[in-house]
Amino acid sequence: MNKLKNLLASFIPILILELSVVIVVLRILVDTPYLRFNRWVVADWMINYQSGFVRRGLFGELLHQLNSNSMVAALYPMLTGLFIGFAILFAALYFYSKAKGQLLATIILLIPGGVFHMAISGDFYSRKEGFFEIQFGILCLLYIFICKNQGNIKSRLIDLFCFFAVPVGILMELGHEAYLFMSFPIFCLLIFLLAYENPSHRLLRWSKWAYVILIPALFVVASLNHGSYESAQVIWEAVPLADRIQIAPASPYTVSLAAGAIAWTMQEHFLTIYENIVTNQLPYIAFFFCGNLLIVLFLASRLRPYAKPNGENEIFANERYVRLLALAFIGSLGMFFLGSDWGRWIACAVNQWIFLALALRFSPSLLGSKFQCNHAKFLDRISDYFNQAPRYLFVTLILVYSLVYQMPESVVGNYRSIYIPYLEFSRAAFEIIRLQVIQSGIQ
């Protein structure tokens, strides 16, 4: 009976992962004249280089080159691939990190801003930071492989790591200047840790300093080319008319939404933070930040460094592991002081933190006698706190929080919008399937 129960439990994370992918694919396949995503989000992807170099323009220029007749049509499969890639990376990282327990995987999948919430809301993965998370996921996976290999294979993997860190990092910064605040700190931590563990690798030594210098330098360049209302209008006119009518039907000939926001000054950006205060967003921000932080602390109490001291498998507490993870999480919250889309900042910070927590389990710098600590006080205190509570109390709270509440990307217009609309979602999904069946029958 226990074997059957464990077998059924093991299918829960797989079912959530597969269901999430199916939902995302159905959103794109449905035949509708309406946009699949928020208008502001789609407009942000339309920013291009047709008026010259401008911040955030790289991805839009790629879409323009891929399909100049309809940039929106090129955007949909790209975002679908982005989500599927994120889901595959999560599965691969969880598998190769040797993390144990179906419950742990289920909680990671259900965390607000994670895989399941991305799928049902259409949010977060449709933003440009989805590329940042994909890049970091690849680096974390490479880090695990580097820690597990030796000799020439390890050297080639480090070369590949350097490529995905520096050249790809440059592309990410050109795609959106917020990369410096959302991902740069946690990327630096991983790169410098790898360089510390492999001091003899020359390319890695050069790459870490190239990354530290080039990304901030590109941010300065992007800030100096933040765009004007005249250039924003040229950018908007370069978007196919059919796309503009879809995105902004009320004003297809006048730049608006995120495409117009590239001309904003620093003062206008800071005013969006003030908007969170005057519109009473702080209680929502505190609620979701504390909710996701509770899950992060719970995961930190369960994910321990995986080591093989003296040839025996052992998971031991390590103070350095906790410090690195705490530093990574805090360093990823810089955008809270620069923009109003607080849900995006929380989601990106948590997703990258989960990737790092899984990857660092194999860090060799955690295994040396200099850093080894059999009684990681901080981590032990967290574990004791969770273990002393009534059985399944925190697990129940986490699951209720993850399955009831839906973290928005930014401003909450109505308190009802923070709940997952299961009924409306089920009706919409049923209608999509029904229409697809009808269309298949007609064809």
Side-chain angles (χ1 to χ4, degrees):
M1 187 65 182
N2 288 333
K3 289 184 178 180
L4 179 61
K5 185 178 179 180
N6 292 334
L7 183 63
L8 291 175
S10 66
F11 280 106
I12 294 177
I14 299 173
L15 181 63
I16 295 173
L17 203 60
E18 291 181 346
L19 179 62
S20 300
V21 171
V22 169
I23 291 171
V24 169
V25 172
L26 282 177
R27 176 178 284 111
I28 300 303
L29 289 180
V30 62
D31 187 12
T32 174
Y34 302 105
L35 289 175
R36 273 71 159 186
F37 303 99
N38 181 281
R39 298 181 188 281
W40 186 281
V41 174
V42 177
D44 188 45
W45 286 100
M46 298 297 107
I47 301 171
N48 54 67
Y49 289 154
Q50 294 304 300
S51 69
F53 178 80
V54 68
R55 63 189 178 115
R56 308 183 187 182
L58 178 62
F59 297 139
E61 183 62 24
L62 291 175
L63 290 173
H64 189 274
Q65 297 299 325
L66 286 172
N67 192 344
S68 59
N69 295 322
S70 177
M71 294 170 66
V72 173
L75 175 64
Y76 290 157
M78 185 184 74
L79 292 182
T80 304
L82 200 64
F83 178 84
I84 294 174
F86 180 84
I88 292 173
L89 272 174
F90 162 75
L93 272 168
Y94 195 83
F95 175 79
Y96 286 108
S97 70
K98 298 187 183 297
K100 295 181 179 180
Q102 297 82 13
L103 178 62
L104 201 65
T106 301
I107 289 174
I108 293 175
L109 287 170
L110 292 178
I111 188 171
V115 172
F116 179 69
H117 281 257
M118 286 182 181
I120 61 176
S121 66
D123 294 333
F124 305 114
Y125 79 92
S126 57
R127 293 288 194 161
K128 291 179 179 177
E129 59 265 22
F131 276 111
F132 307 166
E133 295 169 17
I134 291 288
Q135 183 200 9
F136 191 63
I138 293 173
L139 290 180
C140 287
L141 194 60
L142 286 171
Y143 180 83
I144 292 177
F145 293 153
I146 290 168
C147 293
K148 290 183 175 182
N149 286 279
Q150 298 294 330
N152 289 333
I153 295 178
K154 182 175 184 177
S155 180
R156 299 289 80 80
L157 287 170
I158 294 177
D159 293 342
L160 193 59
F161 183 98
C162 294
F163 169 77
F164 275 101
V166 182
V168 177
I170 290 172
L171 296 179
M172 297 299 105
E173 181 62 34
L174 293 174
H176 201 299
E177 74 277 8
Y179 178 79
L180 179 70
F181 304 99
M182 300 176 74
S183 298
F184 178 74
I186 197 170
F187 277 53
C188 282
L189 188 149
L190 185 62
I191 294 169
F192 272 77
L193 181 64
L194 183 64
Y196 171 80
E197 296 166 351
N198 299 273
S200 62
H201 198 284
R202 183 180 299 178
L203 178 60
L204 183 57
R205 291 202 306 270
W206 283 98
S207 294
K208 71 175 182 180
W209 294 117
Y211 186 82
V212 169
I213 294 171
L214 289 175
I215 301 303
L218 284 172
F219 173 80
V220 174
V221 172
S223 299
L224 295 175
N225 293 272
H226 65 81
S228 63
Y229 287 106
E230 291 77 14
S231 62
Q233 183 63 38
V234 174
I235 289 171
W236 185 244
E237 291 174 355
V239 178
L241 179 59
D243 290 344
R244 284 183 274 148
I245 292 173
Q246 267 195 308
I247 298 168
S251 58
Y253 297 100
T254 304
V255 65
S256 60
L257 304 171
I262 63 165
W264 285 4
T265 62
M266 184 63 70
Q267 181 181 3
E268 288 174 295
H269 279 289
F270 282 128
L271 282 174
T272 62
I273 303 177
Y274 178 69
E275 179 187 7
N276 282 337
I277 300 174
V278 298
T279 56
N280 297 319
Q281 299 299 303
L282 295 183
Y284 298 111
I285 297 173
F287 174 75
F288 283 103
F289 183 84
C290 292
N292 277 39
L293 183 61
L294 173 67
I295 299 177
V296 165
L297 292 174
F298 178 82
L299 294 175
S301 71
R302 296 296 185 270
L303 288 171
R304 302 292 183 94
Y306 181 88
K308 294 182 179 180
N310 302 322
E312 297 178 0
N313 293 333
E314 180 182 359
I315 298 178
F316 61 91
N318 192 290
E319 191 71 32
R320 184 174 170 85
Y321 179 70
V322 178
R323 289 173 181 172
L324 287 173
L325 293 181
L327 180 63
F329 185 74
I330 294 170
S332 300
L333 299 176
M335 279 302 296
F336 267 98
F337 305 99
L338 299 170
S340 61
D341 294 349
W342 51 270
R344 294 169 59 193
W345 319 148
I346 294 174
C348 187
V350 170
N351 288 330
Q352 291 180 147
W353 181 90
I354 290 172
F355 283 167
L356 184 68
L358 293 172
L360 288 189
R361 300 184 74 227
F362 288 91
S363 173
S365 64
L366 302 179
L367 311 183
S369 58
K370 182 179 179 180
F371 301 114
Q372 187 167 333
C373 174
N374 293 325
H375 300 284
K377 297 178 182 179
F378 180 71
L379 194 57
D380 283 344
R381 282 198 298 268
I382 296 175
S383 298
D384 292 341
Y385 187 73
F386 282 115
N387 293 330
Q388 288 172 5
R391 187 171 176 80
Y392 299 131
L393 172 61
F394 282 105
V395 173
T396 302
L397 286 175
I398 288 171
L399 291 178
V400 169
Y401 167 71
S402 301
L403 292 171
V404 173
Y405 296 100
Q406 177 176 277
M407 184 171 67
E409 288 187 340
S410 55
V411 176
V412 177
N414 187 311
Y415 76 91
R416 294 185 180 87
S417 64
I418 68 172
Y419 298 100
I420 300 177
Y422 286 110
L423 184 59
E424 292 82 351
F425 180 79
S426 300
R427 289 173 179 171
F430 177 77
E431 186 65 18
I432 290 172
I433 295 172
R434 188 181 69 84
L435 290 174
Q436 290 296 113
V437 171
I438 292 174
Q439 289 179 0
S440 300
I442 294 174
Q443 292 176 358

